[in-house]
Amino acid sequence: MAVTALGTFALAAPPAHAEEIAVPCDSTALVQAVAAATATPEPDTLSLTPNCVYTLTAPADVTSNTGLPIIRGKLTLNGNHATIGRAKDAPPFRIMSNQGELDIKGLTITGGHASDGVGTDAYGDGKAGEAGGGIHNWGSLTITGSVITGNTSGSGAPGADATATSSAGRGGGGGFGGGIASYISAEATLTITDSLITGNATGAGGRGGNGTGAKPGGRGGSGGFGAGIDVLRGTFLRLSGSTVTGNVAGDGGKGGDGGAERGGGGDGGSGGTGAGVMTSADAGKPLNPVIAGTEITGNQAGRGGDAGVAGPGGYSGYAGFGGSGGGLSVFHDTLTFDGGAVSDNAAGEPGSGSFPLPASGGGIYTLDGHVTLANGAVVSGNRPDNCHDVAEVPGCVNDFRVAVARHSGAADALAVAEQAVVSAISVESSRE
């Protein structure tokens, strides 16, 4: 590898030396360069070969199932319009995991696939899929002039079938953040500028376990949230001058079938929420994210899972709720949407089963949240409505017919759906 010194800077304080390393167009060389750069505390810059496609065929870090070595310390990746992707025939693994200070410029990240959930826990519930198909972020992350595309989080595992001594387990939830997943216990900033987040997906929820005898089937798992970008807990999101489009949240898992002796069908799992962008702060600890001059368009929230089939004479399971927030979801926080548009996004339809709740929150979905529209920001053309709650998004307008349908007896079902969303967030947060 060719090494070029950037020079020595005359500073009053001890100088910070940043070594710039030119990385040949070879995936092994890239893995070695990242490993060497993150092995020392000094800041480093890797300059990738212009327009090169670095194809990863196996995870460099097996424990985290990540294509590149885990990034620690301070690292800059000058992409020079290069691409880092997972080979199509390679086993699933995410592309990168950041635990330090990572600055990405002019780089495409594609084809990452976080691990699917495998097996069940001690209660027979399916294990959740892993988060962050493209980038799993635990630190400070800056992305400029880049493309995050075609990445997927993991799907949930099926729940265990019931036995004579145990109930059917729930399906595991789909992993969050198909393109980017950011979960930080302390506080750090995720800054994305002049970039394209497109064609990413979150994993589907696993099916519920089947009942036996008089035992009902288990509930299906929820589809993953935040197909394009998922931000949870201590991450300050600053998204500007970018486009978030064509991202798809995972469907809810099917409920398990009921036992043959009048066992009830399991409820379908909820579809994934926040297909374009999902932000969630801890209750009472707002982070005030900002999205400026950005187009969030053509994203699709997840369909609800179908209820399981009841045994003869058994009760029917509930239809899984369709995911809300086709474009944007905000939980426990106040987001400023400055300029730009949330347009032509869609909420997920409910699954089949008892009491299907009509789709809602095609553009923006809020849960104990608030969105301020500033400087001509537009929310339009979303299906079936622009905003789940127009009171929480002043200036957002829904079609009158949608408003009437929303208030025609759906309040109780909405409360149940929102509780399912809160539960899914709690599960994902606890995995940190």
Side-chain angles (χ1 to χ4, degrees), residues 373-415:
L373 303 178
N375 295 321
V378 173
V379 185
S380 67
N382 302 286
R383 302 181 303 279
D385 53 6
N386 288 316
C387 297
H388 162 77
D389 188 345
V390 295
E392 293 294 344
V393 191
C396 184
V397 177
N398 286 333
D399 183 275
F400 174 74
R401 292 166 297 178
V402 173
V404 170
R406 283 286 315 281
H407 295 285
S408 61
D412 290 342
L414 279 171

Side-chain angles (χ1 to χ4, degrees), residues 239-259:
L239 173 62
S240 63
S242 298
T243 299
V244 181
T245 184
N247 302 286
V248 179
D251 294 339
K254 178 184 177 296
D257 295 339

Side-chain angles (χ1 to χ4, degrees), residues 138-171:
W138 302 79
S140 175
L141 175 61
T142 300
I143 300 173
T144 307
S146 296
V147 180
I148 312 298
T149 183
N151 303 285
T152 306
S153 63
S155 294
D161 293 340
T163 68
T165 57
S166 65
S167 299
R170 294 187 176 189

Side-chain angles (χ1 to χ4, degrees), residues 137-360:
N137 179 53
W138 302 79
S140 175
L141 175 61
T142 300
I143 300 173
T144 307
S146 296
V147 180
I148 312 298
T149 183
N151 303 285
T152 306
S153 63
S155 294
D161 293 340
T163 68
T165 57
S166 65
S167 299
R170 294 187 176 189
F176 288 21
I180 302 169
S182 186
Y183 309 99
I184 303 171
S185 297
E187 293 180 350
T189 301
L190 169 58
T191 303
I192 304 173
T193 306
D194 298 333
S195 294
L196 175 62
I197 314 296
T198 183
N200 303 287
T202 51
R207 67 162 180 81
N210 294 322
T212 187
K215 294 182 178 181
R219 178 176 180 143
S222 298
F225 293 9
I229 302 169
D230 184 72
V231 173
L232 181 63
R233 301 191 71 178
T235 303
F236 294 94
L237 176 64
R238 299 293 183 264
L239 173 62
S240 63
S242 298
T243 299
V244 181
T245 184
N247 302 286
V248 179
D251 294 339
K254 178 184 177 296
D257 295 339
E261 299 173 16
R262 303 183 66 182
D267 299 338
S270 300
T273 290
V277 180
M278 168 78 197
T279 68
S280 178
D282 288 337
K285 298 179 180 179
L287 297 170
N288 304 312
V290 176
I291 299 177
T294 291
E295 301 291 319
I296 301 178
T297 181
N299 303 285
Q300 174 69 59
R303 180 183 182 275
D306 296 334
V309 177
Y315 58 83
S316 299
Y318 288 98
F321 302 108
S324 295
L328 170 66
S329 289
V330 180
F331 290 5
H332 311 299
D333 215 335
T334 297
L335 181 143
T336 299
F337 196 86
D338 188 351
V342 179
S343 61
D344 300 316
N345 304 284
E349 295 294 328
S352 64
S354 299
F355 303 106
L357 178 67
S360 173

Side-chain angles (χ1 to χ4, degrees), residues 1-2 21-34 45-50 52 54 77:
M1 293 178 287
I21 300 172
V23 182
C25 188
D26 177 80
S27 60
T28 300
L30 174 63
V31 169
Q32 292 173 345
V34 171
T45 297
L46 301 183
S47 183
L48 307 191
T49 301
C52 173
Y54 294 89
L77 291 177

